Every structure is written in structure tokens, then in C-alpha cells.
Amino acid sequence: MTVNEQERDGVIVNEGKMIEALMQQDIRAFREEYLLIHPYDRAVFYEKVDAALRKIMYYFLSPKELAEIFETSEIDDSEYKEFLQEMDTTYAADMISYMFVDNAVDVLKELDKSQIASYLTLMDKEAAAQIKSLLHYEEYTAGSIMTTEYVSVPENSTVRSAMTILRNEAPSAETIYYVFVVSDDNKLTGVVSLRDLIIADEDALIGSIMNERVVSVIVSDDQEDVARTTQDYNLLAVPVVDFQQHMLGIITVDDVIDVLDEEASDDYSKLAAVANMDTFDKNSFSAAKKRIPWLIVLLVLGMLTANLIDMFTETISQVALLAAFIPLIAGTAGNSGTQALAVAVRGIATRDIEEESKFKLLLREAGTGIITGLICAIFVILLIFVWKHEFVIALLVGAAILVSIFVATISGSFIPLFMHKMKIDPAVASGPFITTLNDVISIIIYLGLATTFISSL
Amino acid sequence: MTVNEQERDGVIVNEGKMIEALMQQDIRAFREEYLLIHPYDRAVFYEKVDAALRKIMYYFLSPKELAEIFETSEIDDSEYKEFLQEMDTTYAADMISYMFVDNAVDVLKELDKSQIASYLTLMDKEAAAQIKSLLHYEEYTAGSIMTTEYVSVPENSTVRSAMTILRNEAPSAETIYYVFVVSDDNKLTGVVSLRDLIIADEDALIGSIMNERVVSVIVSDDQEDVARTTQDYNLLAVPVVDFQQHMLGIITVDDVIDVLDEEASDDYSKLAAVANMDTFDKNSFSAAKKRIPWLIVLLVLGMLTANLIDMFTETISQVALLAAFIPLIAGTAGNSGTQALAVAVRGIATRDIEEESKFKLLLREAGTGIITGLICAIFVILLIFVWKHEFVIALLVGAAILVSIFVATISGSFIPLFMHKMKIDPAVASGPFITTLNDVISIIIYLGLATTFISSL
């Protein structure tokens, strides 16, 4: 049995044995098995068993050991509250104080103000102070995801003394692979990687081997920008500073991955018109709750479309075939609008769009709209002509498709860009609104043209 | 001027000065400025200037210096070919041989077979051999993104000798923060982090301080699975082994981030029905090319819907108001289908779905479909009744919405799960197909019911 099977099919993570040990209150057998597996697998097990077994685990594990489990991303933010309530309050406070500060803050943010206060009171003073300093940063900013557990040294220290500092701080620092160099008043002046340190002469001064062009982010920066910067520069951690360049904390690459994942989920949810897919729903009601708001909004918007079509009842009664093409035209407009929207939203997210002028982008989208519109129109005209031999209707549908695609493509890219400029998340505009807008426009064009030329039909 | 401004608004990256130096053929001035900025910013500049200036850069920079620029993610895969063609062939071959093997492979994969062969011939023998060993791995597998530049030590070496090996390999290894421990026949038996090494006793044996439960991936594993494993276990690099546990290479966290980003882009593109948004389009034609295939497919599918409605022409001629609600019903079915699909696709991507049974998931989705369907149906019945005072049509639309949402929700989750089971990328099924399927089903239900009860209308 290779080590690989461990994570592959859970063979080596012996769940049965651990559950049995818990049921039989066999602390030795449990700890022997449990502490050998990876913290991530420990978290998977912890989350999977029921509350009764978890309560036994709190007696079998130290707060520090449990903290390690809470550090993993396996446990969702929404579960923290429930789990903490299962524990003794002092035990929970101890556990939180052993976590890395950024994660401890994530846990506390899920609780009520009074609960936060009571945990902070029970906690080790130093840990409480560090947590308090981070609690007030606004959500989705660099400050809200940074940790203060980094290693810093003064410029005039030697490589040898820096290594000593590193060794001492290794157990508590979140990363020791970057050492940040600060001036007397705590301003960030450079960075040295552990890679550079171990190959440098032990007597060399840090100031002489450090990299002065250090990439940093501002504490109020948006977390997605921070994540993109870390990704672009291939960093394992990025320092966070205030506007005067004072060092405040660092953000490590594991948190960056989680941010990118969260933002991708978020954009994806919005395109699909689901409230929030960040946490996976365990029952029908919570799943329905996330979908109904959008469906209702879309129904109301759809009513507008219905109302609009209703105004053309007379035309439709005369040529009922016209009705057959309404979903086709509205659908095509919706699809091309969604395409343009998705390209713009994604371009904003990956910062590709920042690199060029908005005007050029819109011009390009207009061109794209004309090309796709023309090709689709010609295609549909031929299709209808061959299928129905209705030349006038074919032309009518073709014209409506051409104009609809053109308008949909431009609005699909203009609206998210405009929202981004207004500092609104462009993904909110998303499919639904664009689709309804394009439904309305395309139906007016189609049935308007049909009403005008009704005599030729 | 703080260091931060460097990346913030490009003040410190003095583009004007570098361009001037290039134009005046001032090698000293150019190198002085250019080599001080971060490789990522060098890549941004390199990509931005026109070919004439880039050709001067090839004379001003060594192949090794240029290799560092090509390592960054700023340069898209699609651009490699164009840039290589600007260079002298020997210079290009040299440049590739200086890159990390995994990145060199990425570059070569963009070229024709004959070009690959000619570069490999011109290259340093050892580099060519390493590249060849990686070139044959299938795309999207662990093998295709791994590098062979890792540090390994035998179990019986001491911490001191391991540190010496590390120092020697530091310049060429992609990461030195993990040291992999291998047996005589190169089987992976453990891992030691540099963090553990620097705090360990220098005379300790690696075998005694290493972590034996090392998380690894198999060379044929899907790259997204590899990325998720690295994310779950918070690793900076994951070792890649064959089925006999022989160590083949490592995948570093920066590549993991790029894979997650690529996969997120891919799922997002498919939901939006755009061919591929991985590279940002510079002109209307390439943008149109990515969107037209989907639009045409959707048009053909839309034709089926039109054909279907056409079969009910008689019913519609009798009660033209019926036509007004077609887009509303089809749209609602499409929306709820897309919601269910997105939840399933995302759940598969993040592996949340693996943790529970498919049957339970479908049962839950059926429940969600009934709840959302009922609420939307009641809402729409009230809305139409208040607005049009048409009680029978209100009931008809309500019934159609209830059934459509139910069917759409189930098919929206069943289809991606089925495709995943069949080893087809579930995201391919995507919005368009689900939407058309639901269009057809909802229209049959709606107009079918209407035709049956036409006498009451």
C-alpha cells in the first residue's frame, strides 16, 4: 500500500478505527492514529463525524492540536459558530489564540459581538491584542486577510543574526521563506528570501544582499487586486503596508489561492444567477433560498417582455408564424450579450482590460458585434428560407438578429465597464439584466419591423 | 516616491527612459534601468514594445536574462511562437535551455514538430534531455505541468549534508523550500521542509526528522485534481510520482495558481458560451471567431424551438396572448436549469460533490425544484391575474412554470453529473444545451396544456 492511497481512496486514513477509539473512550488509540494523518485529513474527519463524537475529541485533543485543524480550508466559515458552541468556552478561546492571527480573525468574524468580546477576554493577552488590531479592517481588503506573524529584521543586522531570528520565530511565523527588512521606524525597505540567506556569507549585512524593489500592497487594497499581484509576481507572500510604507503584515500564497477561488466562484454564481455558491448546500431549502430571489426578479423582468409582446397581439394574430421566432431572436440576443458580458467581466477580473483603453475595447466589441451579427443573420435567412420558403419572414428575422446581436454585444461590454468605473462589482449586472434588456430591444426591433411590413407578409 | 508606486502607476518603471535607450542603441543605460525592475515588469515592457525594439533587446540581453522574462505568466502561450521567430535560432535555443524545464516545455509545445527538433538539437545536451523527458506527457495531466528541477536527498544523509546539497542546487532548483527524501531506487519516502532543516540539529539524520506521510500526486492525474490537492493541503509544491511511487518531478504553487485560474476561466467561458477566454483578444475578428461557433449552434437549436412553436400556430392564432408568455416561460426554465447546472459544475470542480452520494444530490435538487417551482408559480399566477384579469391563462402559465422549473432543475444537475461520470468535462454541456432542452420541454408543456384547454380560454 503506497502513501498515495492515503488521499486517493482513504485507505490509510482509517476512519473506522478512529471512530471506534472515540466510542470506546480510548484516548491513546485515537491520538495515535489521528495525529499521524495530515491536518487536512484530520479536518475532513472532524467535520464528518457527528457532534457527540466531536465532543469526545475536545477531551482527547489539546486546544493547540485543534487549532491546527481549524487552520485548514476544509472547514467553511459558516460552520465555525456551530463548532465553537460545542466546546467549553475557555477551551474555544484557547484554541483561537493558538491559530494564526488571520485565521483567528476569520473565525471571530462569524460570531456576534458579545461572543467575540467574551472570547477575547478569556484569551491570552498578547493574542487578543493582535486579533483586535486586525478585526477592524474592512471585508475584502488586504487588511482583512493579512496576518501579523511575519519575520522582520533591521537593515544593519548580519545574515547570521537574521538566521538566528528566523530559527527562533520559525514555530510561530506563518512563513519564514521571506524575511522583511524594516527601518527603525518600521518602514519596509527590502526583502530577503531564505534562499538568498542560506547561500549568503554569514557575515554579510542584510542591507547589502536585500532586494530593495520589494513588491508590496496597501492595507486598503481590494483582496482580488492583492491576489493578482501575488500571482503576477510569483510570490509566496506579499507584504502589506500603510500609505507611509509602514509594515503592517503579510498575506501568504495559500490565502491568495483561496481569494482567487472565492472570486471565481462569485463571478460564476452571478453569471448563473445563483446568490452565492461559496458554500455547498446540504438541503433543498437552503439551495432554493439562493435561487428564488433571482428567479423572481427574472420573472418580473420577463413580465415586461410579455407585456411588450402583448402590444403586438394584432400583428401576431395576423401572422402567427411570427410568434415562433420570438424565442429564437430573444435567445440569440441574450446569448451574444452574455458572451460580451462574460468577456468584459473576466477581463476586468484578470486585469487584462486595465492594460488598454476602454474606448478601444468598445470599438472592438462593436466590430465583433457587426461580424457575428452579419454571419448569424445570413445563416438564419438561408435556414428559414430553405425550411419555410418564407422569404419576407426570413429577411425580417435576419434583420432583427443582426441588429439585436449588435446592440447586445455593445451593451454587454459597456454595462460592466461602466459599473466597474462606478466601483460597482460588474458581475452583478450579469446575465439576467443583460438578457432582459436584450429581450426587450430585440422584440421591439422584430415585432416593430413586422408591424411596419405586415402588408408584405 | 515610495517603492509601492512602482507597480501602482508605473512611475518607477521608467518606460520612456528604456525606450529612448533602445532607440539610441545605448546598451549601458538600457541594462541599468531594465535589470533593476522586477522580471514581471520586464515582461510587461517586453510585450508592450514593438518588434523592432524587441530585436534590439535581443542584442542587449543575454539568453539567460531573457529566459527570466519568459518564465513569467505575463507572456501568453499564443505569443511564444511569434517572439521566438524574431530571435536568432541559436539565441532562442539558448534562452529555452536556461528556462525551468516545465516552462521550456510550455514554450516548445506551441511550436511545430520540426521547429522543436531544431531547437533541441541546438541546445545544451542535458537541458534537451530533460525537456524531451517531459514533452511526451499528455496535456492537462500532472506530468505536463511538472518540473524536474527539485532537490532530493537520501534518507541516511545528515541535516548538514542536506543543507550543502540545498546550497549547491539553490540556483537551479525551482523551489528549495521542500527537500524530497528518496530511497536508493528513487522511490519517494518522505519530505523535509527547509523550515524543519534550519531548526534541526546539524548531525540529525534526514530519515529521523522527515515527514513520512507525504502527500503526492500520480503523473497521469488531472491537473485540476492536482491543484485542488495542493490547495487543500496548503503545499508550496507537490511531488509527482509514477504508479510505483518513483519520484518524477514536482509541481510548484505558482503553476497551481495558474491551473486553478485557467480552469475557472474555462468553466466561466463555457457557461457564457464563448469558446475560450484564456487569452484576451486584441481584435474583433479573433473575438468573433470564439463566439460564432456557439451562436450558430444555438441558432440551429433555436430553430427546433421555432419549429415546435410553429406546430401550435392554430392555438396561437386563436389566443394571441398565449404568445406573449412564451419567452417568460422558456426564460424561467432556462434560468433555473442554468442555476442547477452551475451549482453542479462548480461542485464537481471544487470536489464538494465527491464527498456525498449522487443519489442524495439528485434528490435534493428535486426538492429544490419543487420548492422554487411552487413559489414562482404562485407568484406568476398572482401577477398575471392582477395585471390581465385572465384567470385561466394565469393558471396555465403557472402550471407550465411549475413543471418547467422542476424538470429544468433535475436535468440541470443530472446532465453534468452524468457527463462527469462518463469522463466528459461537465462544463461542456453548459448553458446552451440545457437552455434549449428546457425551452423545448417548457414550450411543449405550455402550448400542449393550452391546446387541451383552448375551449376555456
Side-chain angles (χ1 to χ4, degrees), chain A residues 188-207:
Chain A
L188 176 67
T189 59
V191 65
V192 185
S193 68
L194 181 51
R195 187 193 280 247
D196 295 332
L197 279 180
I198 65 163
I199 57 176
D201 178 2
E202 293 220 304
D203 294 314
L205 282 180
I206 290 294

Short mmCIF file of all heavy atoms in Angstrom, two decimals, chain A residues 188-207:
data_model
loop_
_atom_site.label_atom_id
_atom_site.label_comp_id
_atom_site.label_asym_id
_atom_site.label_seq_id
_atom_site.Cartn_x
_atom_site.Cartn_y
_atom_site.Cartn_z
N LEU A 188 9.00 49.51 5.57
CA LEU A 188 9.50 48.40 4.76
C LEU A 188 10.55 48.92 3.77
O LEU A 188 10.27 49.80 2.97
CB LEU A 188 8.34 47.77 3.99
CG LEU A 188 8.67 46.65 3.01
CD1 LEU A 188 9.16 45.41 3.74
CD2 LEU A 188 7.43 46.31 2.18
N THR A 189 11.76 48.37 3.84
CA THR A 189 12.79 48.86 2.92
C THR A 189 13.32 47.77 1.99
O THR A 189 13.99 48.07 1.01
CB THR A 189 14.00 49.46 3.68
OG1 THR A 189 14.54 48.44 4.53
CG2 THR A 189 13.58 50.66 4.52
N GLY A 190 13.03 46.51 2.30
CA GLY A 190 13.53 45.47 1.42
C GLY A 190 13.05 44.10 1.83
O GLY A 190 12.30 43.96 2.80
N VAL A 191 13.48 43.09 1.05
CA VAL A 191 13.09 41.73 1.35
C VAL A 191 14.26 40.81 1.03
O VAL A 191 15.03 41.08 0.10
CB VAL A 191 11.82 41.32 0.56
CG1 VAL A 191 12.09 41.31 -0.94
CG2 VAL A 191 11.29 39.97 1.01
N VAL A 192 14.44 39.77 1.82
CA VAL A 192 15.45 38.75 1.55
C VAL A 192 14.75 37.40 1.64
O VAL A 192 13.99 37.17 2.58
CB VAL A 192 16.58 38.77 2.60
CG1 VAL A 192 17.68 37.78 2.22
CG2 VAL A 192 17.15 40.15 2.76
N SER A 193 14.98 36.54 0.67
CA SER A 193 14.37 35.22 0.76
C SER A 193 15.31 34.30 1.53
O SER A 193 16.51 34.53 1.59
CB SER A 193 14.10 34.66 -0.64
OG SER A 193 15.33 34.38 -1.27
N LEU A 194 14.74 33.26 2.11
CA LEU A 194 15.55 32.30 2.85
C LEU A 194 16.55 31.66 1.89
O LEU A 194 17.66 31.29 2.27
CB LEU A 194 14.65 31.25 3.50
CG LEU A 194 15.31 30.16 4.34
CD1 LEU A 194 16.27 30.73 5.37
CD2 LEU A 194 14.27 29.30 5.03
N ARG A 195 16.15 31.55 0.62
CA ARG A 195 17.05 31.02 -0.40
C ARG A 195 18.33 31.85 -0.47
O ARG A 195 19.44 31.32 -0.48
CB ARG A 195 16.33 31.03 -1.75
CG ARG A 195 17.06 30.36 -2.88
CD ARG A 195 16.45 30.69 -4.23
NE ARG A 195 15.26 29.93 -4.56
CZ ARG A 195 15.20 29.04 -5.55
NH1 ARG A 195 16.26 28.78 -6.29
NH2 ARG A 195 14.09 28.41 -5.82
N ASP A 196 18.14 33.19 -0.50
CA ASP A 196 19.30 34.08 -0.54
C ASP A 196 20.11 33.98 0.75
O ASP A 196 21.34 34.01 0.72
CB ASP A 196 18.87 35.54 -0.73
CG ASP A 196 18.19 35.75 -2.07
OD1 ASP A 196 18.52 35.00 -3.01
OD2 ASP A 196 17.35 36.65 -2.17
N LEU A 197 19.40 33.87 1.87
CA LEU A 197 20.08 33.83 3.16
C LEU A 197 21.00 32.63 3.29
O LEU A 197 22.14 32.75 3.75
CB LEU A 197 19.07 33.80 4.31
CG LEU A 197 18.45 35.12 4.75
CD1 LEU A 197 17.47 34.89 5.89
CD2 LEU A 197 19.53 36.11 5.18
N ILE A 198 20.51 31.45 2.86
CA ILE A 198 21.33 30.26 3.11
C ILE A 198 22.53 30.18 2.17
O ILE A 198 23.47 29.46 2.44
CB ILE A 198 20.53 28.93 3.09
CG1 ILE A 198 19.98 28.64 1.70
CG2 ILE A 198 19.45 28.89 4.15
CD1 ILE A 198 19.55 27.18 1.55
N ILE A 199 22.50 30.92 1.06
CA ILE A 199 23.70 30.88 0.21
C ILE A 199 24.61 32.08 0.46
O ILE A 199 25.71 32.15 -0.07
CB ILE A 199 23.37 30.74 -1.30
CG1 ILE A 199 22.46 31.87 -1.77
CG2 ILE A 199 22.73 29.38 -1.60
CD1 ILE A 199 22.18 31.82 -3.26
N ALA A 200 24.15 33.03 1.29
CA ALA A 200 24.96 34.23 1.52
C ALA A 200 26.05 33.97 2.56
O ALA A 200 25.95 33.05 3.36
CB ALA A 200 24.06 35.37 2.00
N ASP A 201 27.06 34.82 2.53
CA ASP A 201 28.12 34.79 3.53
C ASP A 201 27.50 35.18 4.88
O ASP A 201 26.77 36.14 4.98
CB ASP A 201 29.19 35.82 3.10
CG ASP A 201 30.32 35.91 4.11
OD1 ASP A 201 30.29 35.16 5.12
OD2 ASP A 201 31.22 36.74 3.89
N GLU A 202 27.82 34.42 5.92
CA GLU A 202 27.19 34.65 7.22
C GLU A 202 27.47 36.03 7.80
O GLU A 202 26.70 36.51 8.62
CB GLU A 202 27.66 33.58 8.22
CG GLU A 202 27.18 32.18 7.89
CD GLU A 202 26.77 31.44 9.14
OE1 GLU A 202 27.63 31.33 10.04
OE2 GLU A 202 25.62 30.98 9.22
N ASP A 203 28.59 36.65 7.39
CA ASP A 203 28.92 37.96 7.95
C ASP A 203 28.39 39.12 7.12
O ASP A 203 28.54 40.28 7.50
CB ASP A 203 30.44 38.10 8.10
CG ASP A 203 30.98 37.12 9.14
OD1 ASP A 203 30.36 37.04 10.21
OD2 ASP A 203 31.97 36.43 8.85
N ALA A 204 27.78 38.80 5.98
CA ALA A 204 27.27 39.87 5.12
C ALA A 204 26.15 40.62 5.84
O ALA A 204 25.45 40.06 6.69
CB ALA A 204 26.74 39.28 3.82
N LEU A 205 26.02 41.92 5.53
CA LEU A 205 24.94 42.71 6.10
C LEU A 205 23.67 42.48 5.28
O LEU A 205 23.73 42.38 4.04
CB LEU A 205 25.28 44.20 6.09
CG LEU A 205 26.24 44.66 7.19
CD1 LEU A 205 26.49 46.16 7.04
CD2 LEU A 205 25.66 44.35 8.57
N ILE A 206 22.53 42.39 5.95
CA ILE A 206 21.25 42.20 5.26
C ILE A 206 21.05 43.31 4.22
O ILE A 206 20.62 43.06 3.10
CB ILE A 206 20.10 42.21 6.30
CG1 ILE A 206 20.15 40.93 7.14
CG2 ILE A 206 18.75 42.33 5.61
CD1 ILE A 206 19.88 39.66 6.38
N GLY A 207 21.39 44.56 4.63
CA GLY A 207 21.21 45.69 3.72
C GLY A 207 21.92 45.51 2.39
O GLY A 207 21.49 46.04 1.36
#
